[in-house]
Amino acid sequence: MILLIPVAFLAAIALVMFFLLRSLKVALPGNRHWAGWRRVVVAATFACAATTTASYSLGAIDLMSTVAVAQDGGADSAPFPYNHPCRAQLKGAVGYDVQFLTLRTVCVMEDGERKAVDDVPQGVRVTAAASMACTAVLAGIALATRPHVHASVSGRR
């Protein structure tokens, strides 16, 4: 898992740069595909997609480091090392589950109760969710209002 962290980081940087460059390409004059207010909506969609990618990747990389810490092993590592969020924040945790969709680590307690810990900052989770919603709404608006080009079908014999 530790080897995936730099790969995820580089992929996130590449995607963020792609979305930012697409946003600039749409926003700069000379783009004939999008005109008027649609240009602003499409540029904002790409900017929101860049924010979504950056914030979600930051949270996912943080969760990957949590898993890497748990797999580290060594002395005093049963059920996980001392610096694992479940052990550092809760007493009596015996297991954990990493949820990448919601960017959370959920600890399993001795009695079977499941408690979430603060390993990914709340601001990162809120930013990822809000920017994803923004991206979806703006992309929907951009797609719903794009000009439709009707191709004429020539008669073939």
Side-chain angles (χ1 to χ4, degrees), residues 116-146:
V117 293
D118 294 327
D119 56 341
V120 176
Q122 181 69 22
V124 172
R125 287 195 304 268
V126 169
T127 302
S131 59
M132 176 54 106
C134 174
T135 302
V137 168
L138 290 174
I141 291 169
L143 290 173
T145 61
R146 73 176 178 208

Short mmCIF file of all heavy atoms in Angstrom, two decimals, residues 116-146:
data_model
loop_
_atom_site.label_atom_id
_atom_site.label_comp_id
_atom_site.label_asym_id
_atom_site.label_seq_id
_atom_site.Cartn_x
_atom_site.Cartn_y
_atom_site.Cartn_z
N ALA A 116 -16.24 6.12 14.01
CA ALA A 116 -15.38 6.80 13.06
C ALA A 116 -14.36 7.65 13.81
O ALA A 116 -14.66 8.21 14.87
CB ALA A 116 -16.20 7.69 12.14
N VAL A 117 -13.15 7.72 13.28
CA VAL A 117 -12.11 8.56 13.88
C VAL A 117 -11.76 9.68 12.91
O VAL A 117 -12.08 9.64 11.73
CB VAL A 117 -10.84 7.74 14.22
CG1 VAL A 117 -11.12 6.76 15.33
CG2 VAL A 117 -10.29 7.04 13.01
N ASP A 118 -11.10 10.69 13.45
CA ASP A 118 -10.72 11.85 12.65
C ASP A 118 -9.31 11.67 12.10
O ASP A 118 -8.35 12.21 12.63
CB ASP A 118 -10.78 13.12 13.50
CG ASP A 118 -12.18 13.46 13.94
OD1 ASP A 118 -13.11 13.17 13.17
OD2 ASP A 118 -12.35 14.00 15.04
N ASP A 119 -9.19 10.90 11.02
CA ASP A 119 -7.88 10.79 10.40
C ASP A 119 -7.81 11.65 9.13
O ASP A 119 -6.77 12.17 8.80
CB ASP A 119 -7.51 9.33 10.09
CG ASP A 119 -8.53 8.64 9.24
OD1 ASP A 119 -9.67 9.11 9.17
OD2 ASP A 119 -8.20 7.60 8.65
N VAL A 120 -8.93 11.81 8.45
CA VAL A 120 -9.01 12.75 7.33
C VAL A 120 -9.72 13.99 7.87
O VAL A 120 -10.83 13.88 8.41
CB VAL A 120 -9.80 12.15 6.15
CG1 VAL A 120 -9.95 13.17 5.04
CG2 VAL A 120 -9.10 10.90 5.63
N PRO A 121 -9.12 15.15 7.76
CA PRO A 121 -9.74 16.36 8.31
C PRO A 121 -11.14 16.61 7.73
O PRO A 121 -11.40 16.33 6.55
CB PRO A 121 -8.78 17.48 7.90
CG PRO A 121 -7.48 16.80 7.69
CD PRO A 121 -7.80 15.43 7.18
N GLN A 122 -12.03 17.10 8.55
CA GLN A 122 -13.40 17.38 8.14
C GLN A 122 -13.44 18.34 6.96
O GLN A 122 -14.27 18.20 6.06
CB GLN A 122 -14.19 17.95 9.33
CG GLN A 122 -15.63 18.26 9.04
CD GLN A 122 -16.48 17.03 8.83
OE1 GLN A 122 -16.12 15.95 9.26
NE2 GLN A 122 -17.59 17.19 8.15
N GLY A 123 -12.56 19.31 6.93
CA GLY A 123 -12.53 20.27 5.83
C GLY A 123 -12.24 19.62 4.48
O GLY A 123 -12.80 20.01 3.46
N VAL A 124 -11.41 18.60 4.49
CA VAL A 124 -11.10 17.88 3.24
C VAL A 124 -12.33 17.13 2.76
O VAL A 124 -12.67 17.16 1.58
CB VAL A 124 -9.91 16.92 3.45
CG1 VAL A 124 -9.70 16.03 2.24
CG2 VAL A 124 -8.64 17.71 3.75
N ARG A 125 -13.03 16.46 3.69
CA ARG A 125 -14.24 15.73 3.32
C ARG A 125 -15.33 16.67 2.82
O ARG A 125 -16.01 16.39 1.83
CB ARG A 125 -14.76 14.90 4.49
CG ARG A 125 -13.92 13.69 4.79
CD ARG A 125 -14.62 12.70 5.70
NE ARG A 125 -15.07 13.23 6.96
CZ ARG A 125 -14.34 13.20 8.07
NH1 ARG A 125 -13.13 12.68 8.07
NH2 ARG A 125 -14.80 13.70 9.19
N VAL A 126 -15.53 17.79 3.48
CA VAL A 126 -16.55 18.75 3.08
C VAL A 126 -16.21 19.37 1.73
O VAL A 126 -17.08 19.51 0.86
CB VAL A 126 -16.73 19.85 4.16
CG1 VAL A 126 -17.58 21.00 3.65
CG2 VAL A 126 -17.33 19.26 5.41
N THR A 127 -14.95 19.71 1.53
CA THR A 127 -14.53 20.29 0.25
C THR A 127 -14.72 19.30 -0.88
O THR A 127 -15.19 19.66 -1.96
CB THR A 127 -13.06 20.74 0.32
OG1 THR A 127 -12.91 21.69 1.37
CG2 THR A 127 -12.61 21.36 -0.99
N ALA A 128 -14.36 18.04 -0.65
CA ALA A 128 -14.54 17.02 -1.69
C ALA A 128 -16.01 16.85 -2.03
O ALA A 128 -16.37 16.78 -3.21
CB ALA A 128 -13.93 15.70 -1.23
N ALA A 129 -16.87 16.78 -1.03
CA ALA A 129 -18.30 16.58 -1.28
C ALA A 129 -18.93 17.81 -1.95
O ALA A 129 -19.69 17.67 -2.92
CB ALA A 129 -19.02 16.28 0.03
N ALA A 130 -18.61 18.99 -1.47
CA ALA A 130 -19.20 20.20 -2.03
C ALA A 130 -18.73 20.45 -3.46
O ALA A 130 -19.52 20.81 -4.34
CB ALA A 130 -18.87 21.40 -1.15
N SER A 131 -17.45 20.24 -3.71
CA SER A 131 -16.95 20.47 -5.06
C SER A 131 -17.45 19.40 -6.03
O SER A 131 -17.66 19.67 -7.20
CB SER A 131 -15.43 20.56 -5.08
OG SER A 131 -14.84 19.39 -4.58
N MET A 132 -17.69 18.19 -5.54
CA MET A 132 -18.27 17.15 -6.39
C MET A 132 -19.70 17.52 -6.77
O MET A 132 -20.12 17.36 -7.91
CB MET A 132 -18.24 15.79 -5.69
CG MET A 132 -18.93 14.71 -6.49
SD MET A 132 -18.31 14.57 -8.15
CE MET A 132 -17.38 13.09 -8.00
N ALA A 133 -20.46 18.02 -5.80
CA ALA A 133 -21.83 18.46 -6.09
C ALA A 133 -21.83 19.62 -7.07
O ALA A 133 -22.63 19.67 -8.01
CB ALA A 133 -22.54 18.84 -4.79
N CYS A 134 -20.91 20.55 -6.87
CA CYS A 134 -20.77 21.70 -7.78
C CYS A 134 -20.44 21.23 -9.19
O CYS A 134 -21.03 21.70 -10.16
CB CYS A 134 -19.70 22.63 -7.25
SG CYS A 134 -19.29 24.01 -8.33
N THR A 135 -19.52 20.29 -9.30
CA THR A 135 -19.13 19.75 -10.61
C THR A 135 -20.32 19.10 -11.28
O THR A 135 -20.56 19.31 -12.48
CB THR A 135 -17.98 18.74 -10.46
OG1 THR A 135 -16.87 19.38 -9.83
CG2 THR A 135 -17.55 18.19 -11.80
N ALA A 136 -21.07 18.29 -10.54
CA ALA A 136 -22.21 17.59 -11.12
C ALA A 136 -23.29 18.55 -11.60
O ALA A 136 -23.83 18.40 -12.71
CB ALA A 136 -22.79 16.61 -10.10
N VAL A 137 -23.60 19.56 -10.79
CA VAL A 137 -24.64 20.52 -11.17
C VAL A 137 -24.20 21.33 -12.38
O VAL A 137 -24.96 21.49 -13.36
CB VAL A 137 -24.97 21.45 -9.98
CG1 VAL A 137 -25.82 22.63 -10.43
CG2 VAL A 137 -25.68 20.68 -8.89
N LEU A 138 -22.98 21.84 -12.37
CA LEU A 138 -22.51 22.65 -13.49
C LEU A 138 -22.38 21.82 -14.77
O LEU A 138 -22.69 22.30 -15.86
CB LEU A 138 -21.17 23.31 -13.15
CG LEU A 138 -21.25 24.43 -12.11
CD1 LEU A 138 -19.86 24.91 -11.74
CD2 LEU A 138 -22.11 25.58 -12.61
N ALA A 139 -21.91 20.57 -14.64
CA ALA A 139 -21.81 19.71 -15.83
C ALA A 139 -23.20 19.43 -16.38
O ALA A 139 -23.39 19.40 -17.62
CB ALA A 139 -21.10 18.41 -15.48
N GLY A 140 -24.17 19.22 -15.51
CA GLY A 140 -25.55 19.01 -15.97
C GLY A 140 -26.08 20.22 -16.71
O GLY A 140 -26.73 20.09 -17.76
N ILE A 141 -25.83 21.41 -16.18
CA ILE A 141 -26.27 22.63 -16.84
C ILE A 141 -25.58 22.78 -18.20
O ILE A 141 -26.22 23.10 -19.20
CB ILE A 141 -25.99 23.86 -15.95
CG1 ILE A 141 -26.90 23.85 -14.72
CG2 ILE A 141 -26.18 25.16 -16.73
CD1 ILE A 141 -26.53 24.87 -13.67
N ALA A 142 -24.28 22.54 -18.23
CA ALA A 142 -23.53 22.69 -19.48
C ALA A 142 -24.01 21.70 -20.54
O ALA A 142 -24.15 22.06 -21.71
CB ALA A 142 -22.04 22.50 -19.22
N LEU A 143 -24.27 20.47 -20.13
CA LEU A 143 -24.73 19.48 -21.10
C LEU A 143 -26.17 19.72 -21.54
O LEU A 143 -26.51 19.47 -22.69
CB LEU A 143 -24.58 18.07 -20.53
CG LEU A 143 -23.14 17.58 -20.38
CD1 LEU A 143 -23.10 16.24 -19.66
CD2 LEU A 143 -22.46 17.48 -21.73
N ALA A 144 -27.00 20.19 -20.64
CA ALA A 144 -28.40 20.42 -20.98
C ALA A 144 -28.59 21.63 -21.88
O ALA A 144 -29.56 21.69 -22.62
CB ALA A 144 -29.22 20.59 -19.71
N THR A 145 -27.67 22.57 -21.84
CA THR A 145 -27.84 23.81 -22.62
C THR A 145 -26.91 23.91 -23.80
O THR A 145 -26.86 24.95 -24.44
CB THR A 145 -27.62 25.04 -21.72
OG1 THR A 145 -26.29 25.01 -21.21
CG2 THR A 145 -28.63 25.08 -20.59
N ARG A 146 -26.19 22.86 -24.10
CA ARG A 146 -25.28 22.94 -25.24
C ARG A 146 -26.09 23.00 -26.53
O ARG A 146 -27.16 22.39 -26.65
CB ARG A 146 -24.30 21.79 -25.25
CG ARG A 146 -24.92 20.48 -25.63
CD ARG A 146 -23.87 19.42 -25.72
NE ARG A 146 -24.55 18.17 -26.04
CZ ARG A 146 -24.15 16.99 -25.72
NH1 ARG A 146 -23.03 16.85 -25.07
NH2 ARG A 146 -24.82 15.94 -26.05
#
